[in-house]
């Protein structure tokens, strides 16, 4: 009885152990991968009791499971006859690797572990495949669309194509950077017709055709499409097409006729007038001036080197036969041409007044606007009116006088005329510039500049190598000669003469100072200061001596008059050093002479 009970307990214990034994499998629930890359699917398990393990990787095909790889205690292998046989490997760690990944590899993979009597378990992993599409392209957008109030049907605006994407992307249309509502109802004025094609590779090609009833304002709008697609890690990305404009045809509503020139038009300018409409395409144009038809190129009228005769009213006619009734197709433009007549100078030159005469110059002109007249000589303004009066002219007044006329309100409108004034008279030599030589006998060059008309002749005394040049209304004579003793003493004389008289100037020639002395100005300054200081000392000493002599003379004079008491007793007092009630001065004639001599000799000792 006890034996049977023991056997039952043993069997019960074994059965309980078997029932409590289990296998647990763990995989990555979801794995994302880019088409063409490599994906690895890991699998691991835990078991509560030792057992013989068989691991299988399975997929579902047509509702049935199919093994693609397995591992037993004896072997690891990949099943033949599947779409991934050549791209699949299984590792010792029970993971499988697919390379390269194809779109068709997106499915559920099952890792199943069988442990004999212990049992079996499995877990599933989802593989998701992604692939970015190509840049979308636009077709069918080059056709012209007629815009008319009578149009009631929508026209194809463009077709957006996005190729080779996975998973299926989405196409969005934009007008001026604003997304258009995704409308598929063809009764609406703007709608889209989408289509999708799955290629043999498993990738998707998306197409979206946009239809619209465009209006005139859409001619300035910019359109494009964007493909929106998914990528790993929940990324949403976009790729946009090139932008394009619509080719719209619409009739004229307004004509524009304008002058292209900037600022006032003056004689000599090239004038450009442009006529255009707000229609498309632009119609033909006809131009008229005072009812006379002009030959033009399309909508541009050009008048070269315009004159005052070209001023007037111009008319442009737009020949748009599709325009609505009542639309004004004619516009006019008034052209104003500013002008300034040539400046006339009186009296006409050249003029030959004599020195000391009074000369009056006048200039006149005419203009379409207010103008100014200025007389100038050597860029210096001499008069702000058209009249210039020169009182008692000198030889220096000779030259070219310019009268400039200008219209301040029209930039660049200027005219000018000139007159040449030549003053007749005896020569006048400019102040001479003295010459310097290094030593006696050296060569020196002197320039003698003179005014006068007729042009003066020159004589140098003594003479040398001479040449003459003319600068403006000045005649310059240049001489090069030897600086002899006579030249250093008396100089060189330049004489200029013509039919009205003559003038002469003496040019001094000297030897240059010692460079050693001139190169040390500080030493010279110190010597000059020392000399000045010694002179001051001498003057001070002489003044003191004179004052002392004057004092002695005064005392002597008072003594002779009896104003001072000078006796033997007083002399003794002075000798003994006793002084009572005043000052007593006693000087012997010999002592006085010695003192004066000492004072006179003292300054010499100091010097």
């Amino acid at each position: 009885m006890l034996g049977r009970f023991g056997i039952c307990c043993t069997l019960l214990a074994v059965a309980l152990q078997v029932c409590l034994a289990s296998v647990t499998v763990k995989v990555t629930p979801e794995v994302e991968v880019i088409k063409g890359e490599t994906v690895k699917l890991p699998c691991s398990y835990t078991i509560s009791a030792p057992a013989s393990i068989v691991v299988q990787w399975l997929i579902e095909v047509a509702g049935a499971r199919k093994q693609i790889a397995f591992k037993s205690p004896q072997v690891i292998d990949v099943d033949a006859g599947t779409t991934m046989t050549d791209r699949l490997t299984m590792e010792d760690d029970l993971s499988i690797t697919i390379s390269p990944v194809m779109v068709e590899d997106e499915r559920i993979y099952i890792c199943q572990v069988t442990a004999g009597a212990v049992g079996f378990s499995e877990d599933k992993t989802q593989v998701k495949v992604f692939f970015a599409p190509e840049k979308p392209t636009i077709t069918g957008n080059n056709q012209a669309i007629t815009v008319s109030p009578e149009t009631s049907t929508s026209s194809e605006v463009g077709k957006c194509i996005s190729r080779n994407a996975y998973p299926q992307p989405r196409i969005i249309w934009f007008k001026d950077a604003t997304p258009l509502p995704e409308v598929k109802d063809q009764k609406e004025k703007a709608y889209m017709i989408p289509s999708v094609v799955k290629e043999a590779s498993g990738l998707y090609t998306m197409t979206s055709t946009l239809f619209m009833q465009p209006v005139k304002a859409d001619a300035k709008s910019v359109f494009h499409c964007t493909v929106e697609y998914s990528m790993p890690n929940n990324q949403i990305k976009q790729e946009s097409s090139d932008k394009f404009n619509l080719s719209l045809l619409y009739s004229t509503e307004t004509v524009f006729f304008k002058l292209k020139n900037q600022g006032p038009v003056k004689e000599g300018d090239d004038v450009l007038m442009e006529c255009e409409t707000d229609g498309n395409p632009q119609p033909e144009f006809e131009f008229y001036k005072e009812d006379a038809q002009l030959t033009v190129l399309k909508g541009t009228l050009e008048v070269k080197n315009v004159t005052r005769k070209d001023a007037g009213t111009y008319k442009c006619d737009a020949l748009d036969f599709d325009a609505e009734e009542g639309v004004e197709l004619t516009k006019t433009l008034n052209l104003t041409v500013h002008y300034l007549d040539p400046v006339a100078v009186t009296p006409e030159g050249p003029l030959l007044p004599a020195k000391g005469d009074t000369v009056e110059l006048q200039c006149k002109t005419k203009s379409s606007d207010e103008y100014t007249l200025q007389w100038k000589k050597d860029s210096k303004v001499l008069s702000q009116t058209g009249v210039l009066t020169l009182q008692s002219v000198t030889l220096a007044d000779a030259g070219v006088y310019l009268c400039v006329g200008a219209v301040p309100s029209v930039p660049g409108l200027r005219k000018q005329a000139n007159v040449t004034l030549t003053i007749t008279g005896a020569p006048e030599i400019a102040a001479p510039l003295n010459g310097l030589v290094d030593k006696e006998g050296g060569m020196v060059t002197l320039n003698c500049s003179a005014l006068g008309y007729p042009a003066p002749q020159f004589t140098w005394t003594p003479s040398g190598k001479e040449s003459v040049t003319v600068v403006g209304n000045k005649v310059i004579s240049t001489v090069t000669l030897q600086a002899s003793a006579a030249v250093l003493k008396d100089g060189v004389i330049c004489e200029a003469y013509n039919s009205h008289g003559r003038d002469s100037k003496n040019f001094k020639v000297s030897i240059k100072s010692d460079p050693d002395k001139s190169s040390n100005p500080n030493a010279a300054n110190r010597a000059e200061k020392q000399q000045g200081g010694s002179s001051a000392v001498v003057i001070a000493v002489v003044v003191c001596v004179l004052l002392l002599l004057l004092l002695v003379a005064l005392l002597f004079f008072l003594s002779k008059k009896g104003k001072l008491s000078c006796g033997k007793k007083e002399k003794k007092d002075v000798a003994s050093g006793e002084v009572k009630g005043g000052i007593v001065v006693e000087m012997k004639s010999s002592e006085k002479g010695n003192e004066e001599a000492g004072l006179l000799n003292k300054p010499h000792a100091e010097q």
Side-chain angles (χ1 to χ4, degrees):
M1 186 71 178
L2 289 174
R4 291 179 179 178
F5 180 76
I7 293 172
C8 289
C9 289
T10 301
L11 292 175
L12 182 60
V14 171
L16 184 60
Q17 184 177 3
V18 171
C19 291
L20 294 176
S22 63
V23 179
T24 303
V25 178
K26 183 179 181 181
V27 298
T28 303
E30 186 174 277
V31 178
E32 297 178 329
V33 62
I34 304 295
K35 176 183 176 293
E37 296 183 356
T38 299
V39 65
K40 183 175 182 178
L41 307 181
C43 179
S44 61
Y45 69 90
T46 56
I47 188 171
S48 60
S52 177
I53 301 299
V54 175
V55 178
Q56 296 174 285
W57 277 97
L58 309 169
I59 61 174
E60 292 186 354
V61 179
R65 290 187 174 187
K66 183 175 182 179
Q67 178 177 288
I68 57 174
F70 70 95
K71 179 181 183 300
S72 66
Q74 294 80 21
V75 66
I76 298 178
D77 200 4
V78 174
D79 290 85
T82 68
T83 57
M84 62 184 71
T85 300
D86 297 334
R87 301 179 289 112
L88 182 66
T89 57
M90 186 172 181
E91 307 296 337
D92 289 335
D93 62 357
L94 308 183
S95 65
I96 59 173
T97 301
I98 306 172
S99 181
V101 172
M102 308 294 287
V103 172
E104 61 198 35
D105 296 331
E106 180 173 290
R107 53 163 54 99
I108 294 176
Y109 293 80
I110 305 166
C111 179
Q112 187 179 86
V113 178
T114 303
V118 175
F120 74 94
S121 181
E122 64 182 36
D123 201 0
K124 298 178 180 180
T125 181
Q126 172 71 54
V127 172
K128 289 188 175 181
V129 180
F130 297 88
F131 195 68
E134 301 173 9
K135 179 179 178 178
T137 58
I138 301 292
T139 62
N141 62 317
N142 54 355
Q143 58 185 355
I145 302 174
T146 301
V147 177
S148 173
E150 291 79 17
T151 302
S152 58
T153 59
S154 298
S155 301
E156 181 179 330
V157 169
K159 184 178 293 185
C160 179
I161 303 175
S162 174
R163 303 181 186 277
N164 300 324
Y166 195 88
Q168 183 175 319
R170 183 169 76 101
I171 290 179
I172 306 171
W173 281 97
F174 285 82
K175 173 185 173 182
D176 295 328
T178 301
L180 297 175
E182 191 171 348
V183 178
K184 298 180 182 180
D185 187 355
Q186 299 184 14
K187 295 180 181 180
E188 298 293 332
K189 290 184 177 182
Y191 60 90
M192 300 86 173
I193 297 180
S195 66
V196 59
V197 175
K198 188 171 185 179
E199 308 291 347
S201 61
L203 300 177
Y204 292 100
T205 294
M206 294 293 299
T207 301
S208 177
T209 305
L210 175 63
F211 289 83
M212 289 182 63
Q213 291 182 22
V215 295
K216 188 175 179 179
D218 290 331
K220 297 181 180 180
S221 297
V222 178
F223 294 82
H224 75 278
C225 69
T226 295
V227 58
E228 186 177 85
Y229 58 94
S230 301
M231 291 298 283
N233 300 318
N234 295 320
Q235 295 184 79
I236 302 298
K237 294 189 175 183
Q238 292 183 338
E239 180 79 14
S240 295
S241 69
D242 295 333
K243 297 179 180 180
F244 67 95
N245 297 94
L246 301 183
S247 178
L248 302 181
L249 305 179
Y250 43 89
S251 61
T252 299
E253 293 180 354
T254 306
V255 178
F256 304 96
F257 191 24
K258 57 187 176 181
L259 183 67
K260 300 292 287 184
N261 294 59
Q262 299 294 324
V265 176
K266 61 183 181 296
E267 282 192 322
D269 288 347
D270 292 337
V271 173
L272 197 65
M273 289 173 275
E274 184 180 71
C275 192
E276 63 179 355
T277 72
D278 60 352
N280 188 49
Q282 292 294 306
E284 295 294 325
F285 298 95
E286 289 182 351
F287 289 87
Y288 298 85
K289 180 181 183 292
E290 310 298 342
D291 297 327
Q293 187 171 354
L294 305 173
T295 302
V296 298
L297 179 64
K298 294 187 177 180
T300 301
L301 173 62
E302 185 175 14
V303 182
K304 290 185 174 294
N305 196 22
V306 70
T307 68
R308 65 194 74 178
K309 293 181 180 180
D310 296 314
T313 301
Y314 289 79
K315 183 175 68 172
C316 168
D317 283 342
L319 307 180
D320 189 347
F321 303 107
D322 295 325
E324 296 291 324
E325 186 176 353
V327 174
E328 180 59 51
L329 298 176
T330 299
K331 280 294 174 70
T332 59
L333 183 150
N334 187 56
L335 177 64
T336 301
V337 178
H338 301 268
Y339 63 87
L340 179 68
D341 285 346
V343 175
V345 175
T346 57
E348 296 181 355
L351 304 179
L352 295 171
K355 178 182 175 182
D357 289 350
T358 296
V359 178
E360 183 175 286
L361 302 175
Q362 292 186 359
C363 62
K364 297 180 180 180
T365 186
K366 292 182 180 180
S367 175
S368 58
D369 305 86
E370 291 187 5
Y371 61 90
T372 61
L373 287 171
Q374 287 185 336
W375 277 103
K376 295 182 178 181
K377 181 175 184 286
D378 300 328
S379 301
K380 181 180 179 181
V381 178
L382 304 177
S383 171
Q384 295 284 1
T385 67
V387 179
L388 174 63
T389 302
L390 302 174
Q391 301 284 353
S392 187
V393 294
T394 65
L395 297 178
D397 292 325
V400 177
Y401 288 78
L402 190 67
C403 180
V404 180
V407 178
S409 61
V410 183
L413 186 53
R414 297 165 59 90
K415 296 290 177 66
Q416 62 184 36
N418 63 69
V419 61
T420 301
L421 192 66
T422 303
I423 311 299
T424 61
E428 293 180 0
I429 298 177
L433 294 176
N434 297 329
L436 295 174
V437 292
D438 294 330
K439 60 181 180 179
E440 182 181 338
M443 302 302 293
V444 63
T445 298
L446 303 172
N447 293 318
C448 183
S449 175
L451 298 172
Y453 189 83
Q457 304 292 319
F458 292 87
T459 300
W460 289 91
T461 305
S463 63
K465 184 179 179 180
E466 301 178 23
S467 63
V468 176
T469 57
V470 178
V471 179
N473 59 348
K474 295 180 181 179
V475 181
I476 301 173
S477 176
T478 302
V479 67
T480 301
L481 72 165
Q482 188 178 32
S484 62
V487 169
L488 293 173
K489 178 182 178 183
D490 301 326
V492 182
I493 296 175
C494 171
E495 184 178 31
Y497 60 93
N498 63 12
S499 58
H500 294 283
R502 60 185 62 240
D503 189 16
S504 64
K505 288 287 190 296
N506 188 291
F507 288 74
K508 298 296 184 182
V509 179
S510 58
I511 297 175
K512 296 179 182 177
S513 61
D514 188 352
D516 293 335
K517 292 181 179 180
S518 60
S519 63
N520 192 357
N522 293 332
N525 291 337
R526 285 197 299 270
E528 184 178 351
K529 290 180 180 179
Q530 290 177 357
Q531 183 178 359
S534 300
S535 300
V537 171
V538 171
I539 293 171
V541 171
V542 171
V543 171
C544 291
V545 171
L546 292 176
L547 291 174
L548 185 58
L549 290 175
L550 182 61
L551 179 62
V552 171
L554 178 62
L555 293 174
F556 181 75
F557 176 77
L558 294 174
S559 176
K560 290 295 184 180
K561 292 290 184 179
K563 298 289 184 179
L564 294 176
S565 298
C566 297
K568 293 181 178 180
K569 182 179 179 180
E570 291 168 343
K571 292 179 181 178
K572 291 179 181 178
D573 291 339
V574 172
S576 63
E578 294 180 1
V579 180
K580 296 180 180 180
I583 299 174
V584 178
V585 178
E586 179 181 9
M587 298 186 68
K588 297 181 179 180
S589 60
S590 61
E591 292 174 347
K592 179 180 179 181
N594 292 336
E595 182 179 2
E596 290 175 357
L599 289 173
L600 291 172
N601 291 332
K602 186 177 181 181
H604 297 289
E606 290 178 356
Q607 289 179 346

